[in-house]
Amino acid sequence: MVVNRKILTLDEFTIQQLRQFPTATGELSSLLRDMGLAAKRVNVEVNKAGLVDILGDAGSINVQGEDVKKLDIFANNQFMGALQHGISCAGIGSEELEDFVIFDDEVSNNSKYVVLFDPLDGSGNIDVNISIGTIFSVFRRVSPKGTPCTKEDFLQPGNKQVAAGYIIYGSSTMLVYATKRGANGFTLDPSIGEFCLSHPNIQCPATGNFYSVNHGYFFKYDKGVQKYITACQQKPKSEGGPYTQRYIGSMVADVHRNLLKGGIFMYPGTTDRPNGKLRLLYECNPLAFIVEMAGGRATNGQQRVLDVQPHQLHQRSPLFIGSRQMMDELENYLKETNEANF
Ligand code: AHG
Ligand code: MN
Ligand code: MN
C-alpha cells in the first residue's frame, strides 16, 4: 500500500536526493539537518524578541539563571554548536567571530565540509519586528581528511561552493538552499517543528519590477549606478516601468522577494566605502550561488561574484544581484560610465 503523503520534510528531501547518488555519504544531508535544527532554535528566540524587556535584556540573567545574550551572539552559538556536534563540518567562519574556528577533534578532522555564515542578517531590524535572516555557505575542504581543516578550505572562490542557503525569519520561517542541482525552499510547519518542501525548484523570473537599494546613499554611488537607478524610476509603462522600490534593510528578505517575484538588489560601493558594506564570504557568495542556481545573476560591478578569489574572512564586496535581464540592463549602464572614465 502506498500512503499518499505529498509533503516532504527537509530531511526526507535531502535523503531522496541522495538516493540518486549511490556514492554519496550523506554528510551534506546531515549538515543541512544541523543547520535546520539551529534555525529552529533561533526561530524560537527571534519570535520572543519583543519580550526581551520582560524576560531580561542582553547582559542580564534570565529565569533559568543563564546569561541573556544578544540575539546575534545567540544565533552564532546555535549554528556553531550544531555544526560542531554534527559529523559533517571541520570548521566554521562567522560574521560574529574574528577568526575561523577549526574544530580539531577526531570526528571533525574527518569531516568533509567547512561552513561560513552570517548568523543573523539584518539584526538592526530585530527591535522593530521586521524579517531577519541567516545566510550560509558550504565548501568541500581542500585539505586532507583526517587532519584539522585550514584557512585555504575557507578561502575558496564562491564557484566552488557545494551548497549555500538562507533562513528567513519572517511572517513564516523558511529555509532555502541550493546545490548545483537547483534551489528549493522549505517552510517551517510549527505544528510538527519541521521544514517542509513548499517551493520546489525555485526559478528567478528573468525580469521583474522591484529594485532594492538604499536611496539615502544615492549621491555617494558612482555615475553608472545613479543612472541605472534613475532609469528604473523613468522606465516607461510600456516596458513595465516605473519599477517599484523596495528596501527593507534585511538583505535576506530583499533578495528572497526578488528571487521569487523578479527584481534586482544592489549594495554598491560608496565614495566613503568603495567596497560597500556586505561581506563576500558569508553574505554575497551564498546569495550569489543560490540566485545563479535559480537562473539569476550576481556581480560586484566588475565581475561575477562567484569568481572572486577571497583573501580574508571579513572582506567586503559591492553586490548587484537578481533577475537576469535586469542585471544585463544594469551592466550596460555600468559599462557605459566605466568606459567614459577612461
Ligand atoms: P548585518 O545585520 O548582518 O550586519 O547585515 C545587514 C546588512 C544587510 O542585511 C542590509 O541589506 C544592509 O546591511 C543594510 O545596510 P544599510 O543600512 O547601509 O542600507
Ligand atoms: Mn548581514
Ligand atoms: Mn549579521
Side-chain angles (χ1 to χ4, degrees), residues 95-96 118 120-121:
E95 183 188 22
E96 296 302 328
D118 176 356
L120 267 197
D121 175 67

Side-chain angles (χ1 to χ4, degrees), residues 10 13-14 17 26-33 35 83 88-89 112-118 134-141 153-154 156-167 175-184 186 280-293 306:
L10 175 64
F13 179 81
T14 57
Q17 297 268 306
E27 268 185 75
L28 186 62
S29 315
S30 145
L31 187 147
L32 290 164
R33 183 168 52 233
M35 294 303 288
L83 292 169
S88 316
C89 181
K112 216 182 197 173
Y113 299 109
V114 296
V115 180
L116 293 141
F117 56 83
D118 176 356
T134 296
I135 316 173
F136 63 95
S137 165
V138 183
F139 287 97
R140 186 170 292 121
R141 56 190 291 195
D153 297 324
F154 298 97
Q156 301 186 58
N159 57 34
K160 292 268 163 47
Q161 285 172 106
V162 170
Y166 61 78
I167 295 114
L175 186 152
V176 173
Y177 86 90
T179 62
K180 290 248 156 78
R181 310 182 64 206
N184 292 283
F186 301 80
L280 175 65
L281 268 64
Y282 42 80
E283 294 183 314
C284 304
N285 262 343
L287 293 179
F289 184 83
I290 298 162
V291 168
E292 281 203 10
M293 289 311 135
L306 297 181

